[in-house]
Amino acid sequence: VKEETFGRFLELIHPKLNYQHALTQQVRMVEPLREVQLQEGDTKFLHPELQTVLEKATEIQQQFELQPQKLAFLHNIVMTAYRHKWRLRGHQSVDHRIKDLAKLLEAYNLEAVAAFFT
């Protein structure tokens, strides 16, 4: 198996992981933004991105209800690919590194995950 294979795999799965992590961040902002809206009334002083999150709060929360399963599924795919990469190279177990990979996936950054694969 070529070394580039896993880098390409990560590039292909990146948009899905990035979307799911962005959705998580938006959901975390919904309640505080609603509180600001209740206290201030007018939210025109907020950054346009935050205004969009507030306007689409219901839709974001509905998508998020499905999200934990999707995000866990994507994380599992990446961890399985990591295990397979090292098994193909003759290593019996890399379970001791999986916890580190899981932490990297929680604070998702494509470059950091790609560096971990090498």
Side-chain angles (χ1 to χ4, degrees):
V1 177
K2 294 182 180 180
E3 186 63 38
E4 307 87 55
T5 302
F6 296 99
R8 181 69 180 134
F9 159 74
L10 291 172
E11 288 175 15
L12 291 172
I13 203 167
H14 170 69
K16 292 180 188 308
L17 277 168
N18 198 41
Y19 172 78
Q20 294 300 325
H21 281 280
L23 185 61
T24 300
Q25 293 299 326
Q26 289 175 347
V27 166
R28 289 179 183 160
M29 289 189 281
V30 167
E31 286 306 314
L33 288 172
R34 282 186 176 159
E35 193 171 313
V36 168
Q37 186 180 35
L38 286 174
Q39 290 180 1
E40 300 294 328
D42 185 25
T43 57
K44 291 182 182 178
F45 64 91
L46 291 174
H47 189 275
E49 183 180 323
L50 295 176
Q51 289 178 1
T52 303
V53 169
L54 195 52
E55 291 167 6
K56 297 182 178 184
T58 305
E59 179 185 327
I60 289 169
Q61 287 178 321
Q62 287 173 347
Q63 289 178 0
F64 184 74
E65 288 178 11
L66 298 173
Q67 189 267 345
Q69 294 113 4
K70 289 180 183 179
L71 188 57
F73 178 74
L74 292 170
H75 285 182
N76 192 33
I77 289 172
V78 173
M79 288 188 279
T80 301
Y82 183 79
R83 282 186 186 107
H84 289 298
K85 173 187 178 176
W86 292 105
R87 281 200 184 128
L88 289 169
R89 296 198 174 165
H91 297 272
Q92 291 299 314
S93 176
V94 290
D95 290 338
H96 61 283
R97 303 267 340 249
I98 293 298
K99 288 181 184 178
D100 295 333
L101 179 57
K103 287 179 185 176
L104 281 175
L105 289 170
E106 287 300 319
Y108 182 68
N109 177 314
L110 176 62
E111 291 80 23
V113 175
F116 190 83
F117 263 73
T118 57

